[in-house]
Amino acid sequence: MPSVSAWVLAAVLLLTGCAQPVVPIERLGRKAAEGVRPHGRPLAAPPSGRALPPVVDHVATRDRVVFLTRDDADRDPRRTATPREPRLPVRRFTTGLRPLAGRPYATQRAALCARRTRLLRPPRGAYDSTTLRAAADCGVAAVVLWRATLAPAGLTYSRGPHHLRRGDIVRLAPGAPAARLLGVLRERNLTAARLEDYL
């Protein structure tokens, strides 16, 4: 029959050699503070503290104005302005970027910061939450979409009433008849204004 000292020795060996080490609660708290994430997945976009830019297709204003925009990619280099065309303020957007939505934060940030622009038109109007975070970190004041499109066949609307309202942002598609738009603006008692003066 084992002696009492043998039992004590066995218990000591069990406690010192076989037991799993206990992680102090302080170390667990420190690991949590270091931002340990499951499976090592990094954050999609590091928080910067900057407010996300608004996404606008309409500007809240009491002025009876609309804003005309055109993507540089939509211009037809063979087409030249004629003396009969009305001269209207049009905000041109250079959208020669690859689609941004779904791409990593670092890729989107590099593309947007290279533009150094206050107003961003994402390619094809497609964006995601990472685009907004990257835009904020690059100093973008607003992401500009459009509520109405003027095409050769006439005006179409992405949402809301099917007529122009004050504050609407209108995208001019290739071959859009500017003279026809001028008539619509007169009917609605509206005029075109510079988008940069309102955003």
Side-chain angles (χ1 to χ4, degrees):
M1 181 173 183
S3 65
V4 174
S5 60
W7 282 109
V8 171
L9 178 61
V12 169
L13 290 174
L14 180 64
L15 291 175
T16 58
C18 301
Q20 294 296 322
V22 177
V23 179
I25 193 66
E26 292 83 3
R27 285 180 58 194
L28 290 176
R30 190 164 57 248
K31 282 186 175 291
E34 290 169 358
V36 176
R37 298 181 62 79
H39 310 295
R41 294 176 184 168
L43 293 171
S48 65
R50 294 188 179 95
L52 299 182
V55 179
V56 297
D57 62 6
H58 181 91
V59 177
T61 177
R62 294 183 178 181
D63 298 339
R64 298 200 63 82
V65 296
V66 297
F67 308 100
L68 309 182
T69 65
R70 185 191 300 277
D71 296 341
D72 277 350
D74 288 345
R75 286 190 300 176
D76 185 347
R78 298 167 299 177
R79 188 172 180 272
T80 57
T82 66
R84 294 181 180 180
E85 280 190 330
R87 294 181 62 85
L88 298 171
V90 178
R91 174 62 160 89
R92 295 192 179 276
F93 286 96
T94 302
T95 57
L97 294 169
R98 296 177 63 186
L100 297 173
R103 296 171 71 82
Y105 168 79
T107 302
Q108 295 200 41
R109 186 181 188 280
L112 296 181
C113 286
R115 290 305 174 102
R116 299 176 181 270
T117 181
R118 284 189 64 255
L119 303 180
L120 169 69
R121 168 73 57 79
R124 303 175 188 170
Y127 67 94
D128 58 18
S129 59
T130 303
T131 308
L132 298 182
R133 172 55 59 206
D137 293 343
C138 293
V140 171
V143 174
V144 180
L145 303 182
W146 56 92
R147 194 185 81 83
T149 299
L150 179 67
L155 281 163
T156 59
Y157 301 87
S158 60
R159 65 177 185 85
H162 285 207
H163 59 77
L164 287 181
R165 302 176 299 174
R166 60 186 178 188
D168 277 344
I169 297 174
V170 182
R171 175 179 168 265
L172 304 180
R180 183 187 300 177
L181 177 62
L182 191 60
V184 173
L185 294 179
R186 286 173 178 160
E187 289 175 7
R188 304 289 303 171
N189 192 25
L190 297 167
T191 187
R194 284 168 33 97
L195 184 61
E196 298 89 329
D197 294 341
Y198 286 78
L199 285 179

